[in-house]
Amino acid sequence: MAGRYKSDLKWSDVTPKAAFMDRRQLMVGAGALAMGSIAAPALAKLNAAPSKFSTDATPNSLEEITSYNNYYEFGVGKEDPARNAGAMSTDPWSVKIDGLVDKPGDYSFDDIMKGVDLEERIYRFRCVEAWSMVIPWVGFELADLLNRVGVQPGGKYVAFETAVLPDVMPGISRGYLEWPYREGLRMDEAMNPLTIIATGLYDDPIPNQNGAPLRLVVPWKYGFKSIKSIVRISVMDKEPPTSWNMANAREYGFYSNVNPEVDHPRWSQASERMVGGGFFAKRIPTLKFNGYEEQVASLYTGMDLSKNF
Ligand SMILES: Nc1nc2c(c(=O)[nH]1)N[C@H]1C(S)=C(S)[C@@H](COP(=O)(O)O)O[C@H]1N2
Ligand SMILES: [Mo]
């Protein structure tokens, strides 16, 4: 877990903040200094601040987090995203923000990153397929971005879409899902401080297979809600259609909160396999709201979670 150990010399110590917020300059700087400079290894680091929302569980290794993925645009095998996603170019990148917002527009990745506070969020991550990891994301609260663009009073839901790049995404020409991959949240879920846009992993920019350059992370919901490589964010007055719900509404609800008491029609959700550990991989009990009950249970007061699954 080399990525865990941060150099004493921080990028922010040797460069003005404006420059270290700029990803392109950051890469150029890292490249230029690679020849013989002792500072080079520190330069790619995002220097994210720790967060009170992080779990103290031990994170999975970078190798595990970046080689066992779901990203159907790049293929349905767990190793396909790592094999194929490198061909995607994420610079330049822009996100269309539209719908019921005060400042709609096409925002470049750099625009979005300007002024955000990057935090390390070490979150538990639970896939609906009943495996789990612990992942040290770097990102910012989605609420920060929504507040910057101004949610109008009628805005009740937030919809997200992933890029569709048939030239580099072999899954697009196959009918795995209806593209673009779509996800959505209710406004209070979107505004919850646990909900982040992740732009990094282990204090480095997030790898393509994990959803570069920016992806959603909603740690109390099944992993498929955490949509990757976002190109559109729309504030809406109605619940938006979402990919897995469109594909099979009986198996995948809009809410998809992690819930050991509500089984998937084809398997139990009472426990999960921790990725890593090989032959000795442990199964552990699944926690309601993936262990984030204290922070989010109140969002669902009065709802029947077996009906609103
Ligand atoms: N665009 C897009 N986003 C996606 C997916 C996908 O296939 N396409 N898979 C989802 C699923 S099922 C999971 S479990 C997580 C996996 O995230 P990870 O590969 O970074 O662990 O991404 C989610 N986001
Ligand atoms: Mo998943």
Side-chain angles (χ1 to χ4, degrees):
M1 278 191 281
R4 292 252 60 196
Y5 302 101
K6 293 172 191 164
S7 161
D8 290 331
L9 179 60
K10 296 199 167 176
W11 178 230
S12 52
D13 294 330
V14 297
T15 193
K17 175 147 176 154
F20 100 85
M21 291 305 293
D22 186 312
R23 197 165 44 115
R24 262 167 301 203
Q25 273 175 268
L26 189 150
M27 294 309 181
V28 169
L33 278 160
M35 286 190 294
S37 168
I38 50 156
L43 293 184
K45 296 296 170 192
L46 299 171
N47 292 310
S51 164
K52 64 176 181 198
F53 293 117
S54 287
T55 170
D56 49 22
T58 306
N60 281 82
S61 68
L62 183 63
E63 168 68 17
E64 286 158 355
I65 298 167
T66 59
S67 64
Y68 187 88
N69 301 99
N70 277 332
Y71 196 161
Y72 278 19
E73 287 87 335
F74 290 104
V76 293
K78 291 286 182 282
E79 66 295 334
D80 288 336
R83 187 184 298 141
N84 298 328
M88 173 171 67
S89 166
T90 61
D91 188 5
W93 191 270
S94 78
V95 180
K96 179 184 287 300
I97 303 184
D98 62 1
L100 300 168
V101 293
D102 295 332
K103 293 178 223 155
D106 292 307
Y107 289 81
S108 73
F109 179 81
D110 296 340
D111 290 340
I112 290 172
M113 295 305 278
K114 250 171 234 148
V116 302
D117 290 318
L118 288 183
E119 282 186 17
E120 180 184 57
R121 296 282 180 106
I122 306 173
Y123 280 165
R124 302 150 46 72
F125 189 87
R126 170 62 157 81
C127 174
V128 74
E129 298 162 335
W131 53 264
S132 68
M133 296 200 207
V134 174
I135 305 185
W137 305 109
V138 173
F140 58 89
E141 292 180 11
L142 174 61
D144 288 354
L145 180 60
L146 291 174
N147 289 332
R148 258 162 72 197
V149 298
V151 173
Q152 297 182 345
K156 301 277 187 277
Y157 292 88
V158 186
F160 305 86
E161 288 180 14
T162 295
V164 180
L165 306 167
D167 291 348
V168 292
M169 293 172 162
I172 296 297
S173 59
R174 320 219 164 175
Y176 301 137
L177 287 169
E178 231 180 273
W179 316 110
Y181 193 101
R182 287 163 229 228
E183 259 310 332
L185 296 172
R186 215 170 57 189
M187 188 57 70
D188 57 348
E189 299 176 320
M191 290 293 195
N192 188 279
L194 287 180
T195 303
I196 60 166
I197 296 288
T199 61
L201 185 58
Y202 267 116
D203 220 26
D204 281 320
I206 195 166
N208 285 1
Q209 62 265 42
N210 294 91
L214 75 173
R215 61 92 57 89
L216 186 68
V217 178
V218 193
W220 72 93
K221 293 178 179 282
Y222 290 121
F224 67 83
K225 298 292 292 182
S226 293
I227 182 172
K228 295 178 170 179
S229 306
I230 294 166
V231 293
R232 186 171 179 193
I233 300 176
S234 310
V235 173
M236 307 176 69
D237 58 353
K238 291 188 193 63
E239 186 182 292
T242 57
S243 287
W244 280 101
N245 182 253
M246 287 159 71
N248 192 337
R250 210 175 66 86
E251 298 192 351
Y252 307 104
F254 175 79
Y255 285 94
S256 287
N257 294 314
V258 175
N259 192 342
E261 294 150 28
V262 177
D263 286 337
H264 187 280
R266 292 182 280 131
W267 57 85
S268 165
Q269 295 291 26
S271 70
E272 62 203 51
R273 174 179 61 90
M274 292 172 77
V275 170
F279 183 79
F280 298 102
K282 263 205 300 186
R283 271 199 100 80
I284 56 170
T286 288
L287 301 174
K288 197 151 187 184
F289 297 112
N290 201 24
Y292 298 96
E293 188 166 10
E294 199 186 312
Q295 289 96 329
V296 300
S298 65
L299 299 177
Y300 309 102
T301 312
M303 279 175 67
D304 180 343
L305 296 178
S306 63
K307 291 209 178 76
N308 298 284
F309 62 89

